[in-house]
Amino acid sequence: MGGEEQVYLSVVRQDIVKYDMMVKSLVQEIRELDGSQAELDDIGSLVRSRIAQLREQIEELKRLAQEEDNEDERQQLAEEATRSEKMLQDDHQAFRNALLVAQLTINQRSKDELLARRPVEGEGEGESSVRQRERRTRELLLRDSSRLSDDLLTVTRLIQDNVQKSRQTVDTLVEGSQNLTSTHEELKTMGSVISQARKILNKYGRRENTDKLLIFLGLVFFLASCLVVVRNRFIF
């Protein structure tokens, strides 16, 4: 990894730590909140924004890990991205729990305030006020239920994304294993072919030496025959 990529990786890591600290701080604010529903909604919206930014930086870290050429550094970055994803899940779970507790607290406070404002001017007016309070309470509960359902859907989508990514990783590993097995078989086949070729070359090498020896012996025999013929002519 070059110098510029190292600097960019450092920035991504710093952003992950920064957004994680922001999420944890905002979750703590929700736990300590003693305000209205509007304040809770504002903080909740801010937490969701920070979680989205944190998820984006984690995805960037995973991309850098996949593009890294060095095997050890690629493995290290992949493990770091996995830890960051686990941290993101923990932050999201803490946010949901804090949001649920704060929502229940606000609902109870609203209910107590409505009961404390009960009019004492007459029976008819009292019954009407009670019906209005009950209607407002039901509306608040419906709105809270809808918000909690949205949060649960978000968590469900996050879990589904993680399961899908894990499945893709397993498929990639299986495919890589199959490729390695195929390559190993091809290398074994090539090794067998090379071994046979070596044996054939050695065989032809020995045959060449034998042919040379036979030619030499034939030449010696021919020269010896010539010498015998010449010798016999001079003698007779």
Side-chain angles (χ1 to χ4, degrees), residues 166-190:
S166 300
R167 186 180 295 112
Q168 291 176 355
T169 301
V170 171
D171 293 340
T172 301
L173 291 175
V174 171
E175 183 180 357
S177 177
Q178 293 175 350
N179 291 335
L180 289 176
T181 302
S182 176
T183 303
H184 179 67
E185 293 298 330
E186 291 178 359
L187 290 175
K188 288 177 60 178
T189 303
M190 291 178 62

Side-chain angles (χ1 to χ4, degrees), residues 14-73:
Q14 291 176 6
D15 287 342
I16 290 176
V17 174
K18 178 181 67 176
Y19 291 131
D20 175 60
M21 295 300 296
M22 287 182 176
V23 171
K24 286 181 170 57
S25 177
L26 291 170
V27 169
Q28 186 62 32
E29 286 187 25
I30 293 177
R31 290 171 179 159
E32 300 174 354
L33 181 66
D34 190 21
S36 63
Q37 180 67 47
E39 292 176 332
L40 179 60
D41 292 341
D42 290 340
I43 299 177
S45 177
L46 192 57
V47 172
R48 293 184 183 90
S49 175
R50 293 295 178 264
I51 287 178
Q53 291 173 320
L54 177 58
R55 184 182 295 109
E56 181 180 351
Q57 294 304 314
I58 292 174
E59 291 298 326
E60 188 67 15
L61 180 61
K62 292 170 63 177
R63 185 187 66 80
L64 292 174
Q66 294 174 354
E67 294 178 354
E68 175 58 46
D69 296 331
N70 185 276
E71 179 65 27
D72 294 336
E73 292 186 5

